[in-house]
Amino acid sequence: VQLVESGGGSVQAGGSLKLSCEASGANFSRCDMDWARQAPGKEHDPVSSISTISSDGTTTYADSLEGRFTISRDNAKNMLYLQMNNVKAEDTAVYICRADCTVVPGMGYYWGKGALVTISS
């Protein structure tokens, strides 16, 4: 699985941004997906996750987001999304799309190169 993020850029605080992650290869629908972010000088922090449809597409979010972000997936298009609303300066980071495909024999964990999101106040 190859993952390519897009949609990053600069936006003012209070604005919105939608990140996309395109997955190539088979078995996307069988992979649990998530977004993590890495702020300058910090470790990767989990942002949001979404399970496979067979697991009811369960979503999780970091408590710090306060309901501002929404994760979704379109298995027919092999796409993962992150809708970011009411963004704040502390949301500035590189956002990384990740896949846990370990349920599929012979597959493992995958991640993209990331998309930079810069929030200006």
Side-chain angles (χ1 to χ4, degrees):
V1 176
Q2 289 187 321
L3 304 172
V4 179
E5 301 92 341
S6 61
S10 298
V11 65
Q12 288 191 325
S16 297
L17 200 65
K18 186 173 185 177
L19 301 181
S20 299
C21 172
E22 182 174 6
S24 63
N27 296 303
F28 171 78
S29 64
R30 300 177 66 187
C31 302
D32 291 326
M33 302 296 298
D34 72 11
W35 289 97
R37 66 186 180 186
Q38 185 172 26
K42 297 187 176 181
E43 300 291 324
H44 283 199
D45 284 329
V47 173
S48 181
S49 69
I50 184 166
S51 67
T52 62
I53 299 301
S54 61
S55 299
D56 296 327
T58 301
T59 58
T60 66
Y61 297 93
D63 291 340
S64 60
L65 297 179
E66 301 173 326
R68 298 180 294 114
F69 292 6
T70 302
I71 191 171
S72 62
R73 65 191 297 167
D74 185 336
N75 289 331
K77 297 180 179 179
N78 276 17
M79 296 293 295
L80 177 73
Y81 305 100
L82 185 69
Q83 177 67 47
M84 306 166 61
N85 296 327
N86 190 24
V87 294
K88 303 178 180 181
E90 53 263 39
D91 294 324
T92 294
V94 174
Y95 284 73
I96 302 158
C97 170
R98 306 187 303 186
D100 175 358
C101 305
T102 53
V103 68
V104 181
M107 298 186 72
Y109 297 95
Y110 308 89
W111 53 92
K113 293 183 178 180
L116 177 63
V117 172
T118 304
I119 310 300
S120 58
S121 56

